[in-house]
Amino acid sequence: GESVGLHLPTLSVQEGDNSIINCAYSNSASDYFIWYKQESGKGPQFIIDIRSNMDKRQGQRVTVLLNKTVKHLSLQIAATQPGDSAVYFCAEKKLYDKVIFGPGTSLSVIP
Amino acid sequence: DAGITQSPRHKVTETGTPVTLRCHQTENHRYMYWYRQDPGHGLRLIHYSYGVKDTDKGEVSDGYSVSRSKTEDFLLTLESATSSQTSVYFCAISERVVPEKLFFGSGTQLSVL
């Protein structure tokens, strides 16, 4: 969903289900797109990245999809676990430039 | 948190006072960053450093200065703190290899009253 005011978009999923977190990016010239996970009280942690010349990349239990036509990025988490509860940030980057972060999505896993 | 220590972890200060936040790394990474995190804004870059004594501004640098006299230390100074600088501040480091991965510290919660 879209962020409104100061509230993070929130996604609630049942434990064991798959989660899909969406992100719209702004710069069609970005070379890399990255997902970070931030648990409560901690700094963000790198999850996975994808180059702009790719459509899909898989990691351990996570898949990132990139649709450059509509400037959309998604993170799929398979078999969501309570430890996946966190805020997820998408970020974009041009080569040799700085990382630009999105506002984040809060994922809540229901046991 | 990848050998990154931020100090202090929490600070309460008054408007108009100077504040210095410290980031110390043991990874010998060349690049260091200061971000602030506020509800609805995600992470915004304040300043960054690409080597000893080499720093540059980020997108929200007004009211902040930085210094890097050693590879391992990156200081963020608020010369005269304002209530709008109440935030959580994160330090990050990277090697700027491709693709770049940022490693973050645990953050400093700063409250300016």
Side-chain angles (χ1 to χ4, degrees):
Chain A
E2 296 293 324
S3 60
V4 178
L6 301 179
H7 299 287
L8 276 178
T10 300
L11 175 66
S12 295
V13 297
Q14 204 73 36
E15 181 178 357
D17 287 351
N18 296 334
S19 303
I20 300 176
I21 302 170
N22 296 304
C23 174
Y25 64 89
S26 57
N27 188 351
S28 58
S30 291
D31 297 299
Y32 287 91
F33 302 90
I34 314 110
W35 283 99
Y36 283 85
K37 171 186 179 183
Q38 186 178 23
E39 297 175 73
S40 180
K42 297 184 178 180
Q45 182 178 23
F46 175 92
I47 302 173
I48 190 169
D49 67 285
I50 186 169
R51 295 177 186 241
S52 61
N53 62 355
M54 301 171 66
D55 298 321
K56 179 179 179 179
R57 189 172 186 207
Q58 288 184 293
Q60 188 175 18
R61 256 191 340 110
V62 295
T63 301
V64 57
L65 299 178
L66 176 62
N67 184 331
K68 292 181 287 294
T69 302
V70 294
K71 293 196 286 187
H72 182 268
L73 190 68
S74 68
L75 178 71
Q76 301 179 0
I77 304 173
T80 311
Q81 303 168 359
D84 295 326
S85 292
V87 175
Y88 290 82
F89 293 96
C90 67
E92 56 186 302
K93 182 182 185 332
K94 286 191 66 176
L95 205 61
Y96 306 121
D97 204 343
K98 297 171 285 295
V99 178
I100 304 298
F101 287 87
T105 296
S106 177
L107 175 65
S108 178
V109 180
I110 305 164
Chain B
D1 287 319
I4 306 167
T5 304
Q6 289 187 235
S7 58
R9 289 298 312 276
H10 302 273
K11 183 162 182 73
V12 180
T13 191
E14 294 184 347
T15 299
T17 60
V19 176
T20 295
L21 308 183
R22 180 181 183 237
C23 178
H24 178 78
Q25 61 144 331
T26 58
E27 306 296 322
N28 201 34
H29 282 8
R30 180 181 173 190
Y31 290 85
M32 298 186 76
Y33 305 83
W34 277 107
Y35 286 88
R36 61 177 288 174
Q37 184 173 35
D38 304 289
H41 292 283
L43 289 146
R44 293 181 292 174
L45 182 65
I46 305 171
H47 281 281
Y48 68 101
S49 169
Y50 45 96
V52 173
K53 298 193 189 315
D54 292 322
T55 65
D56 205 349
K57 296 179 180 180
E59 60 184 306
V60 290
S61 59
D62 288 348
Y64 302 95
S65 62
V66 290
S67 66
R68 191 165 178 203
S69 58
K70 297 184 291 184
T71 299
E72 57 266 35
D73 290 324
F74 193 31
L75 304 180
L76 176 70
T77 297
L78 291 66
E79 301 291 347
S80 178
T82 67
S83 58
S84 65
Q85 293 175 312
T86 292
S87 186
V88 180
Y89 291 86
F90 286 99
C91 173
I93 65 174
S94 82
E95 275 292 6
R96 270 286 178 103
V97 295
V98 176
E100 180 177 14
K101 295 182 184 180
L102 293 172
F103 298 95
F104 285 85
S106 298
T108 294
Q109 173 69 61
L110 176 66
S111 297
V112 183
L113 306 179

